[in-house]
CSV table of all heavy atoms in Angstrom, one decimal:
chain,number,residue,atom,x,y,z
A,33,TYR,N,-25.0,-42.2,-46.7
A,33,TYR,CA,-24.3,-43.0,-45.7
A,33,TYR,C,-25.0,-44.4,-45.7
A,33,TYR,O,-24.3,-45.5,-45.6
A,33,TYR,CB,-24.5,-42.4,-44.3
A,33,TYR,CG,-23.7,-43.0,-43.2
A,33,TYR,CD1,-22.4,-42.5,-43.0
A,33,TYR,CD2,-24.2,-44.0,-42.5
A,33,TYR,CE1,-21.6,-43.1,-42.0
A,33,TYR,CE2,-23.4,-44.5,-41.4
A,33,TYR,CZ,-22.1,-44.1,-41.2
A,33,TYR,OH,-21.4,-44.6,-40.2
A,34,ILE,N,-26.3,-44.5,-45.7
A,34,ILE,CA,-26.9,-45.8,-45.7
A,34,ILE,C,-26.6,-46.6,-47.0
A,34,ILE,O,-26.4,-47.8,-47.0
A,34,ILE,CB,-28.5,-45.6,-45.5
A,34,ILE,CG1,-28.7,-45.1,-44.2
A,34,ILE,CG2,-29.2,-46.9,-45.8
A,34,ILE,CD1,-30.2,-44.7,-43.9
A,35,PHE,N,-26.6,-45.8,-48.1
A,35,PHE,CA,-26.2,-46.5,-49.3
A,35,PHE,C,-24.8,-47.0,-49.3
A,35,PHE,O,-24.5,-48.1,-49.8
A,35,PHE,CB,-26.3,-45.6,-50.5
A,35,PHE,CG,-26.1,-46.2,-51.9
A,35,PHE,CD1,-27.1,-47.0,-52.5
A,35,PHE,CD2,-24.9,-46.1,-52.5
A,35,PHE,CE1,-26.9,-47.6,-53.7
A,35,PHE,CE2,-24.7,-46.7,-53.7
A,35,PHE,CZ,-25.7,-47.5,-54.4
A,36,ALA,N,-23.8,-46.3,-48.6
A,36,ALA,CA,-22.5,-46.8,-48.5
A,36,ALA,C,-22.5,-48.0,-47.6
A,36,ALA,O,-21.7,-49.0,-47.9
A,36,ALA,CB,-21.6,-45.7,-47.8
A,37,ILE,N,-23.3,-48.2,-46.6
A,37,ILE,CA,-23.3,-49.4,-45.9
A,37,ILE,C,-23.9,-50.5,-46.7
A,37,ILE,O,-23.2,-51.6,-46.7
A,37,ILE,CB,-24.3,-49.2,-44.6
A,37,ILE,CG1,-23.7,-48.1,-43.7
A,37,ILE,CG2,-24.5,-50.4,-43.9
A,37,ILE,CD1,-24.7,-47.8,-42.5
A,38,MET,N,-24.9,-50.3,-47.4
A,38,MET,CA,-25.5,-51.3,-48.3
A,38,MET,C,-24.5,-51.8,-49.4
A,38,MET,O,-24.3,-53.0,-49.7
A,38,MET,CB,-26.7,-50.9,-49.0
A,38,MET,CG,-27.9,-50.6,-48.0
A,38,MET,SD,-29.3,-49.9,-48.8
A,38,MET,CE,-29.6,-51.1,-50.1
A,39,ALA,N,-23.8,-50.8,-50.0
A,39,ALA,CA,-22.7,-51.1,-51.0
A,39,ALA,C,-21.7,-52.0,-50.4
A,39,ALA,O,-21.1,-52.9,-51.0
A,39,ALA,CB,-22.3,-49.9,-51.6
A,40,GLY,N,-21.2,-51.6,-49.2
A,40,GLY,CA,-20.2,-52.4,-48.5
A,40,GLY,C,-20.6,-53.9,-48.2
A,40,GLY,O,-19.8,-54.8,-48.4
A,41,LEU,N,-21.9,-54.1,-47.9
A,41,LEU,CA,-22.3,-55.3,-47.4
A,41,LEU,C,-22.7,-56.2,-48.6
A,41,LEU,O,-22.6,-57.4,-48.6
A,41,LEU,CB,-23.5,-55.2,-46.5
A,41,LEU,CG,-23.1,-54.5,-45.2
A,41,LEU,CD1,-24.5,-54.4,-44.3
A,41,LEU,CD2,-22.1,-55.3,-44.4
A,42,VAL,N,-23.4,-55.6,-49.7
A,42,VAL,CA,-23.9,-56.5,-50.8
A,42,VAL,C,-23.2,-56.2,-52.1
A,42,VAL,O,-23.5,-56.9,-53.1
A,42,VAL,CB,-25.4,-56.3,-50.9
A,42,VAL,CG1,-26.1,-56.6,-49.6
A,42,VAL,CG2,-25.8,-54.9,-51.4
A,43,GLY,N,-22.4,-55.2,-52.2
A,43,GLY,CA,-21.8,-54.9,-53.6
A,43,GLY,C,-20.6,-55.7,-53.8
A,43,GLY,O,-20.2,-56.7,-53.2
A,44,THR,N,-19.9,-55.4,-54.9
A,44,THR,CA,-18.7,-56.1,-55.3
A,44,THR,C,-17.7,-56.2,-54.2
A,44,THR,O,-17.4,-55.2,-53.5
A,44,THR,CB,-18.1,-55.5,-56.6
A,44,THR,OG1,-16.9,-56.2,-56.9
A,44,THR,CG2,-17.7,-54.1,-56.5
A,45,PRO,N,-17.0,-57.3,-54.1
A,45,PRO,CA,-15.9,-57.3,-53.0
A,45,PRO,C,-14.6,-56.7,-53.5
A,45,PRO,O,-13.6,-56.6,-52.7
A,45,PRO,CB,-15.6,-58.9,-52.8
A,45,PRO,CG,-16.1,-59.5,-54.2
A,45,PRO,CD,-17.2,-58.6,-54.7
A,46,VAL,N,-14.6,-56.2,-54.8
A,46,VAL,CA,-13.4,-55.5,-55.3
A,46,VAL,C,-13.4,-54.1,-54.8
A,46,VAL,O,-14.2,-53.3,-55.2
A,46,VAL,CB,-13.3,-55.6,-56.9
A,46,VAL,CG1,-12.1,-54.9,-57.4
A,46,VAL,CG2,-13.4,-57.0,-57.3
A,47,GLY,N,-12.5,-53.7,-53.8
A,47,GLY,CA,-12.5,-52.5,-53.2
A,47,GLY,C,-12.6,-51.2,-54.2
A,47,GLY,O,-13.2,-50.3,-54.0
A,48,SER,N,-11.8,-51.4,-55.2
A,48,SER,CA,-11.5,-50.3,-56.1
A,48,SER,C,-12.7,-50.0,-57.0
A,48,SER,O,-12.8,-48.9,-57.6
A,48,SER,CB,-10.3,-50.4,-57.0
A,48,SER,OG,-10.5,-51.6,-57.7
A,49,HIS,N,-13.7,-50.9,-56.9
A,49,HIS,CA,-15.0,-50.7,-57.7
A,49,HIS,C,-16.3,-50.7,-56.8
A,49,HIS,O,-17.3,-50.7,-57.3
A,49,HIS,CB,-15.1,-51.8,-58.8
A,49,HIS,CG,-14.1,-51.8,-59.8
A,49,HIS,ND1,-12.8,-52.3,-59.7
A,49,HIS,CD2,-14.1,-51.3,-61.1
A,49,HIS,CE1,-12.2,-52.0,-60.8
A,49,HIS,NE2,-13.0,-51.5,-61.8
A,50,ASN,N,-16.1,-50.6,-55.6
A,50,ASN,CA,-17.2,-50.6,-54.7
A,50,ASN,C,-17.4,-49.1,-54.1
A,50,ASN,O,-16.5,-48.4,-53.6
A,50,ASN,CB,-16.9,-51.5,-53.4
A,50,ASN,CG,-18.2,-51.7,-52.6
A,50,ASN,OD1,-18.6,-50.8,-51.9
A,50,ASN,ND2,-18.7,-52.9,-52.6
A,51,PHE,N,-18.6,-48.7,-54.1
A,51,PHE,CA,-19.0,-47.3,-53.7
A,51,PHE,C,-18.6,-47.0,-52.3
A,51,PHE,O,-18.0,-45.9,-52.0
A,51,PHE,CB,-20.5,-47.2,-53.7
A,51,PHE,CG,-21.0,-45.8,-53.4
A,51,PHE,CD1,-21.2,-44.8,-54.3
A,51,PHE,CD2,-21.3,-45.6,-52.1
A,51,PHE,CE1,-21.7,-43.6,-53.8
A,51,PHE,CE2,-21.9,-44.3,-51.7
A,51,PHE,CZ,-22.0,-43.3,-52.5
A,52,SER,N,-18.7,-47.9,-51.4
A,52,SER,CA,-18.3,-47.7,-50.0
A,52,SER,C,-16.9,-47.4,-49.8
A,52,SER,O,-16.5,-46.5,-49.1
A,52,SER,CB,-18.7,-49.0,-49.2
A,52,SER,OG,-17.9,-50.1,-49.4
A,53,ILE,N,-16.0,-48.1,-50.5
A,53,ILE,CA,-14.6,-47.9,-50.4
A,53,ILE,C,-14.2,-46.6,-51.1
A,53,ILE,O,-13.5,-45.7,-50.5
A,53,ILE,CB,-13.8,-49.1,-51.0
A,53,ILE,CG1,-14.0,-50.4,-50.3
A,53,ILE,CG2,-12.3,-48.7,-51.1
A,53,ILE,CD1,-13.4,-50.3,-48.8
A,54,VAL,N,-14.7,-46.4,-52.3
A,54,VAL,CA,-14.3,-45.4,-53.2
A,54,VAL,C,-14.8,-44.0,-52.6
A,54,VAL,O,-14.0,-43.0,-52.5
A,54,VAL,CB,-14.7,-45.5,-54.7
A,54,VAL,CG1,-14.4,-44.3,-55.5
A,54,VAL,CG2,-14.0,-46.8,-55.3
A,55,PHE,N,-16.0,-43.9,-52.3
A,55,PHE,CA,-16.6,-42.6,-51.9
A,55,PHE,C,-16.3,-42.3,-50.4
A,55,PHE,O,-16.4,-41.1,-50.1
A,55,PHE,CB,-18.1,-42.6,-52.1
A,55,PHE,CG,-18.4,-42.3,-53.6
A,55,PHE,CD1,-18.3,-43.1,-54.6
A,55,PHE,CD2,-18.6,-40.9,-53.9
A,55,PHE,CE1,-18.5,-42.8,-55.9
A,55,PHE,CE2,-18.8,-40.5,-55.3
A,55,PHE,CZ,-18.8,-41.5,-56.3
A,56,VAL,N,-16.1,-43.3,-49.6
A,56,VAL,CA,-15.8,-43.0,-48.1
A,56,VAL,C,-14.3,-42.7,-48.0
A,56,VAL,O,-13.9,-41.7,-47.4
A,56,VAL,CB,-16.2,-44.2,-47.2
A,56,VAL,CG1,-15.8,-44.0,-45.8
A,56,VAL,CG2,-17.8,-44.3,-47.3
A,57,TRP,N,-13.5,-43.7,-48.5
A,57,TRP,CA,-12.1,-43.5,-48.2
A,57,TRP,C,-11.3,-42.8,-49.3
A,57,TRP,O,-10.0,-42.5,-49.0
A,57,TRP,CB,-11.5,-44.9,-48.0
A,57,TRP,CG,-12.1,-45.7,-46.9
A,57,TRP,CD1,-12.7,-46.9,-46.9
A,57,TRP,CD2,-12.3,-45.3,-45.5
A,57,TRP,NE1,-13.2,-47.3,-45.8
A,57,TRP,CE2,-13.0,-46.3,-44.9
A,57,TRP,CE3,-11.9,-44.1,-44.8
A,57,TRP,CZ2,-13.3,-46.3,-43.6
A,57,TRP,CZ3,-12.3,-44.1,-43.4
A,57,TRP,CH2,-13.0,-45.1,-42.8
A,58,ILE,N,-11.9,-42.4,-50.3
A,58,ILE,CA,-11.1,-41.6,-51.3
A,58,ILE,C,-11.9,-40.2,-51.4
A,58,ILE,O,-11.3,-39.2,-51.1
A,58,ILE,CB,-11.1,-42.2,-52.7
A,58,ILE,CG1,-10.3,-43.6,-52.6
A,58,ILE,CG2,-10.4,-41.3,-53.7
A,58,ILE,CD1,-10.2,-44.4,-53.8
A,59,ALA,N,-13.2,-40.2,-51.9
A,59,ALA,CA,-13.9,-38.9,-52.1
A,59,ALA,C,-14.1,-38.1,-50.8
A,59,ALA,O,-13.7,-37.0,-50.7
A,59,ALA,CB,-15.2,-39.2,-52.9
A,60,TRP,N,-14.7,-38.8,-49.8
A,60,TRP,CA,-15.1,-38.1,-48.6
A,60,TRP,C,-13.8,-37.8,-47.9
A,60,TRP,O,-13.7,-36.6,-47.3
A,60,TRP,CB,-16.0,-39.0,-47.7
A,60,TRP,CG,-16.1,-38.5,-46.4
A,60,TRP,CD1,-16.9,-37.4,-45.9
A,60,TRP,CD2,-15.4,-38.9,-45.2
A,60,TRP,NE1,-16.8,-37.3,-44.5
A,60,TRP,CE2,-15.9,-38.2,-44.1
A,60,TRP,CE3,-14.5,-40.0,-44.9
A,60,TRP,CZ2,-15.4,-38.4,-42.8
A,60,TRP,CZ3,-14.0,-40.2,-43.7
A,60,TRP,CH2,-14.5,-39.3,-42.5
A,61,TRP,N,-12.9,-38.7,-47.9
A,61,TRP,CA,-11.6,-38.4,-47.2
A,61,TRP,C,-10.9,-37.1,-47.8
A,61,TRP,O,-10.3,-36.3,-47.0
A,61,TRP,CB,-10.7,-39.6,-47.2
A,61,TRP,CG,-9.4,-39.5,-46.4
A,61,TRP,CD1,-8.2,-39.2,-46.9
A,61,TRP,CD2,-9.3,-39.5,-45.0
A,61,TRP,NE1,-7.3,-39.1,-45.8
A,61,TRP,CE2,-8.0,-39.4,-44.6
A,61,TRP,CE3,-10.2,-39.7,-43.9
A,61,TRP,CZ2,-7.5,-39.3,-43.3
A,61,TRP,CZ3,-9.8,-39.7,-42.7
A,61,TRP,CH2,-8.4,-39.5,-42.3
A,62,ALA,N,-10.9,-37.1,-49.1
A,62,ALA,CA,-10.2,-36.0,-49.7
A,62,ALA,C,-10.9,-34.6,-49.3
A,62,ALA,O,-10.2,-33.6,-49.0
A,62,ALA,CB,-10.3,-36.1,-51.3
A,63,VAL,N,-12.2,-34.6,-49.4
A,63,VAL,CA,-13.0,-33.4,-48.9
A,63,VAL,C,-12.7,-33.0,-47.5
A,63,VAL,O,-12.4,-31.9,-47.2
A,63,VAL,CB,-14.5,-33.6,-49.2
A,63,VAL,CG1,-15.3,-32.4,-48.6
A,63,VAL,CG2,-14.7,-33.7,-50.7
A,64,LEU,N,-12.7,-34.1,-46.6
A,64,LEU,CA,-12.4,-33.8,-45.2
A,64,LEU,C,-11.1,-33.2,-44.9
A,64,LEU,O,-10.9,-32.2,-44.3
A,64,LEU,CB,-12.7,-35.2,-44.5
A,64,LEU,CG,-12.6,-35.0,-42.9
A,64,LEU,CD1,-13.8,-34.3,-42.4
A,64,LEU,CD2,-12.4,-36.4,-42.3
A,65,ILE,N,-10.1,-33.9,-45.4
A,65,ILE,CA,-8.7,-33.6,-45.1
A,65,ILE,C,-8.2,-32.4,-45.8
A,65,ILE,O,-7.4,-31.5,-45.2
A,65,ILE,CB,-7.8,-34.8,-45.2
A,65,ILE,CG1,-8.1,-35.9,-44.4
A,65,ILE,CG2,-6.3,-34.4,-44.9
A,65,ILE,CD1,-8.2,-35.6,-42.9
A,66,LEU,N,-8.5,-32.2,-47.1
A,66,LEU,CA,-7.9,-31.2,-47.9
A,66,LEU,C,-8.8,-29.9,-47.9
A,66,LEU,O,-8.2,-28.9,-48.2
A,66,LEU,CB,-7.8,-31.7,-49.4
A,66,LEU,CG,-6.9,-33.0,-49.5
A,66,LEU,CD1,-6.8,-33.4,-51.0
A,66,LEU,CD2,-5.5,-32.8,-48.9
A,67,VAL,N,-10.0,-30.0,-47.5
A,67,VAL,CA,-10.9,-28.8,-47.5
A,67,VAL,C,-11.6,-28.6,-46.2
A,67,VAL,O,-11.4,-27.5,-45.6
A,67,VAL,CB,-11.9,-28.9,-48.7
A,67,VAL,CG1,-12.8,-27.7,-48.7
A,67,VAL,CG2,-11.2,-29.1,-50.0
A,68,ALA,N,-12.4,-29.5,-45.8
A,68,ALA,CA,-13.3,-29.2,-44.7
A,68,ALA,C,-12.6,-28.9,-43.4
A,68,ALA,O,-12.9,-27.9,-42.7
A,68,ALA,CB,-14.2,-30.5,-44.5
A,69,VAL,N,-11.7,-29.8,-42.9
A,69,VAL,CA,-11.0,-29.5,-41.7
A,69,VAL,C,-10.1,-28.3,-41.7
A,69,VAL,O,-10.2,-27.4,-40.8
A,69,VAL,CB,-10.2,-30.8,-41.2
A,69,VAL,CG1,-9.4,-30.4,-40.0
A,69,VAL,CG2,-11.2,-31.9,-40.9
A,70,PRO,N,-9.2,-28.2,-42.7
A,70,PRO,CA,-8.3,-27.0,-42.7
A,70,PRO,C,-9.1,-25.6,-42.7
A,70,PRO,O,-8.6,-24.6,-42.2
A,70,PRO,CB,-7.4,-27.2,-43.9
A,70,PRO,CG,-7.5,-28.6,-44.2
A,70,PRO,CD,-8.9,-29.0,-43.8
A,71,PHE,N,-10.2,-25.6,-43.4
A,71,PHE,CA,-10.8,-24.3,-43.7
A,71,PHE,C,-12.1,-24.1,-42.9
A,71,PHE,O,-12.5,-23.0,-42.7
A,71,PHE,CB,-11.1,-24.1,-45.2
A,71,PHE,CG,-9.9,-24.1,-46.0
A,71,PHE,CD1,-9.4,-25.2,-46.7
A,71,PHE,CD2,-9.1,-22.9,-46.1
A,71,PHE,CE1,-8.2,-25.1,-47.5
A,71,PHE,CE2,-7.9,-22.8,-46.8
A,71,PHE,CZ,-7.5,-23.9,-47.5
A,72,PHE,N,-12.8,-25.1,-42.5
A,72,PHE,CA,-14.1,-25.1,-41.9
A,72,PHE,C,-14.1,-25.7,-40.5
A,72,PHE,O,-15.2,-25.7,-39.9
A,72,PHE,CB,-15.2,-25.7,-42.8
A,72,PHE,CG,-15.4,-25.0,-44.1
A,72,PHE,CD1,-14.7,-25.5,-45.2
A,72,PHE,CD2,-16.0,-23.7,-44.2
A,72,PHE,CE1,-14.9,-24.8,-46.4
A,72,PHE,CE2,-16.1,-23.1,-45.5
A,72,PHE,CZ,-15.5,-23.6,-46.6
A,73,GLY,N,-13.0,-26.3,-40.1
A,73,GLY,CA,-13.0,-26.9,-38.8
A,73,GLY,C,-14.0,-28.0,-38.5
A,73,GLY,O,-14.0,-29.0,-39.2
A,74,ARG,N,-14.9,-27.7,-37.7
A,74,ARG,CA,-16.0,-28.7,-37.4
A,74,ARG,C,-17.2,-28.6,-38.3
A,74,ARG,O,-18.2,-29.2,-38.1
A,74,ARG,CB,-16.6,-28.3,-35.9
A,74,ARG,CG,-15.7,-28.9,-34.8
A,74,ARG,CD,-15.9,-30.4,-34.5
A,74,ARG,NE,-15.4,-30.8,-33.2
A,74,ARG,CZ,-15.5,-32.0,-32.8
A,74,ARG,NH1,-16.2,-32.8,-33.5
A,74,ARG,NH2,-14.9,-32.3,-31.7
Side-chain angles (χ1 to χ4, degrees):
Y33 190 89
I34 293 173
F35 186 77
I37 293 173
M38 293 175 56
L41 297 178
V42 304
T44 174
V46 180
S48 59
H49 290 79
N50 189 291
F51 180 91
S52 66
I53 296 292
V54 173
F55 277 83
V56 173
W57 303 124
I58 299 176
W60 169 77
W61 185 258
V63 171
L64 184 74
I65 299 299
L66 303 180
V67 180
V69 172
F71 297 101
F72 299 98
R74 281 278 191 178

